[in-house]
Amino acid sequence: MSSMRPFEELDERGQVERLERLAKIALGTYGIIDERLAMLMHSVDTTFEVKAGTGGAHAAATGMPARYVLRIYRPEIRENVVRSELRWLEALVRDEKLGVPEPVATKDGALVATASAEGVPGSRYCVLFRWVEGEFRDSTLTPEAVGRAGEFMARLHRYNERFVVPDDFERPRYDIDGLIGNSAVVPPGRFDALISRRDQEMLQEAAAIIREELRDLGEGPEVFGLIHGDLTHDNYLFQGEEVRAIDFADFGWGYYLYDLVTGFLRLSDREDFPVLEKTFLEGYDRVKPLAEKHLEYLEPFKVARVLYLLRRHFRLFDLPKARERAADGYGFPLGRIRRFLKQRAGRPQAPAGDSRDLSEMTTVRFLKHLHRQDVELWVEGERLRFSAPEGALTPALRAELVERKPEVIAFLSQTTAGTSAGIPAIEPLSRSGPPRLSFAQERLWFFDQYQPRSTAYNIAQGVRLEMPIRPAVVEQVFNEIVRRHAVLRTTFATVDGKPVQIIAPALALRLPVVDLRGLPESGREAQARRWVREEASRPFDLSRGPLLRTTLLSLREADHILLFAIHHIVSDGWSSGILIRELLALYRAFSRGEPSPLPELPIQYADFAEWQRQWLRGTVLEAQLSYWSGQLAGAPALLRLPTDRPRPAEANDKANKVTRWFSRALTRKLHALGQRRGVTLFMTLVAAFNTLLYRWTGQDDILIGSPSANRNRAELEGLIGFFANTLVLRSRLSGERTFQEFLDQVRGVTLDAYTHQDLPFEKLVEELEPARSPSHTPLLQVTFALRTSGTTLRSSGLKVKTVSTESDTVAFDLIVIMDEAPEGLFLSLRYRRALFDQTTPERLAVHFQSLLASIVAEAQQRLSALPLLTPAENHQLVVEWCDNPAVPIGGPLANTGLYVLDRTLAPVPVGVKGELLIGGDALARGYLKRPGLTAERFVPNPFASAGRGERLYRTGDLVRYLPAGTIEFLDRLDF
């Protein structure tokens, strides 16, 4: 009996691996061999991109691989349904000359192939389509392009009116009950954490109205809908002025108006949606004017589409998966349903005044819209709290927020509701002695014992106050914040050999005021920056405290910088936001002589620390460790970065940084790629950066760290303290894998990591016991984070702008932070000065930008083929150096012996004793007598370039020069 796991129990990756075997069997019926597959979609049906090396119906005369799309249909689909679809597509190509997928015949002349494979239940119908050339325009979709898409859909519908339906043809039949169902849109009781009972009842009311209004619409040829019911903007390709369509599969719902609203409704999250909807309908009307009697059905069909998507969403996914999709930006478009019901009931709409109809926004889009207005929302118990600049909450926004309050509370609370189910509550504890440290605090305490007075874990934050202020009130505000948050009154000591928290009953802070107004106007900003840097670099004494310092820099009468520095052991990035928010609320109240408007905190950080140690043990700890030990089994201890100097015996935390802007256009394209693949911008950037590390290091097994707020309980959201966790993201790479395939892997790894984020990184290291070295951090040497840019807030006339500050130390070899801003993406790359010269991280940043541009241009390229070099580098290496075999890299060579590349990539001969000079540092390596030294790969050029080689050489590579200026890579010096 086979021990193979059932297909239904496999995750997406496991199912796709089995379907790949079936795909190769199916391709054999088309005579295609030496194929390369890349998964495009795996949901209802599964599609693969096929690059065929030999065989098949491609143009053999060109000698180039042909590209196809192979669709594997779900097992329950009937053969005649597939055949009907293909006959329709053939007719569109033959009669209408439309750019749609064209089916390819098998060797036996059949359009439908049948294949089966071990581990895949049943036989599957498979169809091979010719590749449709063109480009997606998700993020750059202009009204003009949307209008042409409308014309394209009208041509499809116009053809359907005269399409002669064969006797055995199975066409879609209009069925409103099949579209929105007869049962509840949301299964009762299962998803209350995501969508309130009131909103579920609202959906039922809307469904009843839609069934009544759209039940009897007829079935004549004039209303015959598409075979594919989801021809949305992300299924259009643009080739010059021509519009083409892809992904025709599965029957639609048989009515052309449903196709019509589907064509533009997916664009409803765009700010310019009203314009896009209008141009789409105008384009459609130019080709096939809409019947007057049908116009009134457009709005009901929009609602029907929303109901269909929600119903499908809540039946395809369980609660964790539904929450995950919501977090990825799926959102619940209840606003359109609410507006529809108001119209039917004759109730007035929300006041006008916003740039678009707020009620049509999804929940996610609505919250993003508020965020752009600097309106911050959070949940305290059953209450929705907000902080907003004066005038930001327009009457329309306020009315919509009141209307959406239940769904906003449910949405903001959904992560808490899912992750805290079955977990004991955190409660205030009565203590007989000093509380213990949390796991995260304990790691920083040990680090401080090892490197006292280090500033690697200083957090410095500045806020710019652009109005006259009263320093005494600011001091009063900080002392109230210190009173509220006991962690800010905490120092650390050793009792019975163990670290504990010492919480002072009271602490009075003084606010030093530094008056820079006496300096020349031109020198004030520079002096302020110096002061900020110096304050960020002043060490803390964990045993004496205080671990919060504040300073007020006065530049002008109405221009001040309020600087606060905190040690990471009592704070994190989220806490900085809490501090600023409380600063605004308290200053507003205290400046008016009013009491604090903030409620008392139900718990303190010390309560969390004790709760964490009580909860994270036994079976809970075993479950977390089971995942992480399996995920990290056999992982490399060190990421061998291309350093400019040997790694010192003990890590040096002194740091520099390089920065770089990535354009708004590139950022939009990255978002569009993520939307097509169902991933977040963070996942796309992580996949790209791991690809860069793979190309720079040659390692195919890479670990990077990603910071997580780790506040998945409501009672922690308003608490200052060190909750942040570092998640380990492991990537396994292969040069033959396409970026799209790798992106799917990164998505799964990231989601799994967030599912198991409760295990602190410190506890993970303690339990796994990885190999330790004072020269580098355990498990991770690189971290990657994506943040939103600093915001500007206004509160009662007080204008506050966050000011980023960084110390000159670093806890890892590389810390990469991407900030998303209206201008694009801002890269900040901090690095250890002991390891790298400035030019190396600068080149890394440039190559990252080049790689991202290559990815958005063609995400289906292999990782090893994605262009990495700038045009100038490529010209120098490919033309100037490599086209002249007499001048290989580093200049002419006397022989083809062994060499090591130095800091300038010039070859240094390996001596008889194996002593090499690399950047002035003598390294003893007996490479000439090392057994088992074999070539890793052979490449025609010394640097990676699309179609011209796959390896990027770097300082410390051991190579052998071959005739005609080519290089054979042998090994890498282990710095």
Side-chain angles (χ1 to χ4, degrees), residues 476-737:
Q476 181 187 5
V477 164
F478 270 107
N479 279 297
E480 172 60 13
I481 294 173
V482 169
R483 184 200 66 80
R484 286 171 47 77
H485 298 274
V487 72
L488 299 179
R489 307 192 305 271
T490 300
T491 55
F492 299 86
T494 303
V495 175
D496 297 329
K498 295 181 179 180
V500 295
Q501 301 183 57
I502 305 298
I503 303 175
L507 176 64
L509 290 181
R510 294 290 178 263
L511 178 67
V513 179
V514 180
D515 193 345
L516 302 179
R517 289 175 293 181
L519 298 177
E521 184 80 19
S522 59
R524 296 176 192 176
E525 294 287 345
Q527 180 62 31
R529 287 193 296 269
R530 281 194 294 271
W531 194 281
V532 168
R533 286 195 301 269
E534 291 173 3
E535 183 61 30
S537 301
R538 283 176 53 200
F540 287 98
D541 186 338
L542 300 189
S543 64
R544 296 183 58 185
L547 302 183
L548 166 65
R549 295 191 299 260
T550 61
T551 306
L552 182 66
L553 307 179
S554 294
L555 286 77
R556 299 166 191 86
E557 186 65 27
D559 189 6
H560 313 268
I561 294 177
L562 179 60
L563 176 66
F564 55 91
I566 313 178
H567 196 281
H568 200 358
I569 201 169
V570 296
S571 185
D572 55 19
W574 184 294
S575 298
S576 297
I578 296 172
L579 196 153
I580 294 175
R581 192 164 65 226
E582 293 194 355
L583 167 70
L584 287 171
L586 291 170
Y587 187 89
R588 178 175 54 192
F590 290 174
S591 63
R592 296 172 176 173
E594 299 172 356
S596 168
L598 303 177
E600 288 298 314
L601 297 169
I603 61 171
Q604 293 291 335
Y605 183 83
D607 300 319
F608 162 79
E610 186 63 33
W611 170 88
Q612 182 189 53
R613 289 186 173 274
Q614 291 291 332
W615 173 67
L616 199 59
R617 58 183 181 179
T619 57
V620 174
L621 178 60
E622 289 173 5
Q624 291 280 330
L625 284 175
S626 175
Y627 167 77
W628 285 110
S629 59
Q631 176 68 9
L632 300 179
L638 180 66
L639 180 61
R640 293 165 59 179
L641 296 165
T643 59
D644 295 301
R645 285 172 289 281
R647 186 178 294 276
E650 292 190 5
N652 186 313
D653 60 9
K654 293 299 181 183
N656 276 345
K657 75 171 181 178
V658 298
T659 60
R660 192 172 186 84
W661 273 104
F662 297 169
S663 71
R664 183 186 306 174
L666 176 59
T667 305
R668 286 199 300 263
K669 291 177 182 178
L670 289 169
H671 274 293
L673 172 62
Q675 290 169 3
R676 292 198 300 271
R677 302 302 299 178
V679 302
T680 62
L681 177 62
F682 172 75
M683 296 172 186
T684 305
L685 292 172
V686 166
F689 190 71
N690 276 332
T691 301
L692 180 66
L693 292 176
Y694 164 66
R695 295 280 291 272
W696 264 54
T697 66
Q699 284 187 221
D700 56 9
D701 194 351
I702 291 175
L703 304 181
I704 68 170
S706 173
S708 162
N710 199 31
R711 295 179 185 244
N712 48 20
R713 301 182 62 85
E715 58 264 51
L716 304 181
E717 292 181 356
L719 204 58
I720 291 177
F722 183 15
F723 298 94
N725 194 15
T726 300
L727 301 180
V728 183
L729 305 179
R730 184 179 188 180
S731 296
R732 296 175 174 87
L733 300 96
S734 165
E736 293 302 309
R737 175 173 289 175

Side-chain angles (χ1 to χ4, degrees), residues 194 323 327 410-420 711-712 757:
L194 296 183
R323 181 181 298 108
F411 187 85
L412 294 176
S413 303
Q414 62 184 277
T415 302
T416 300
T419 57
S420 61
R711 295 179 185 244
N712 48 20
Q757 65 176 305

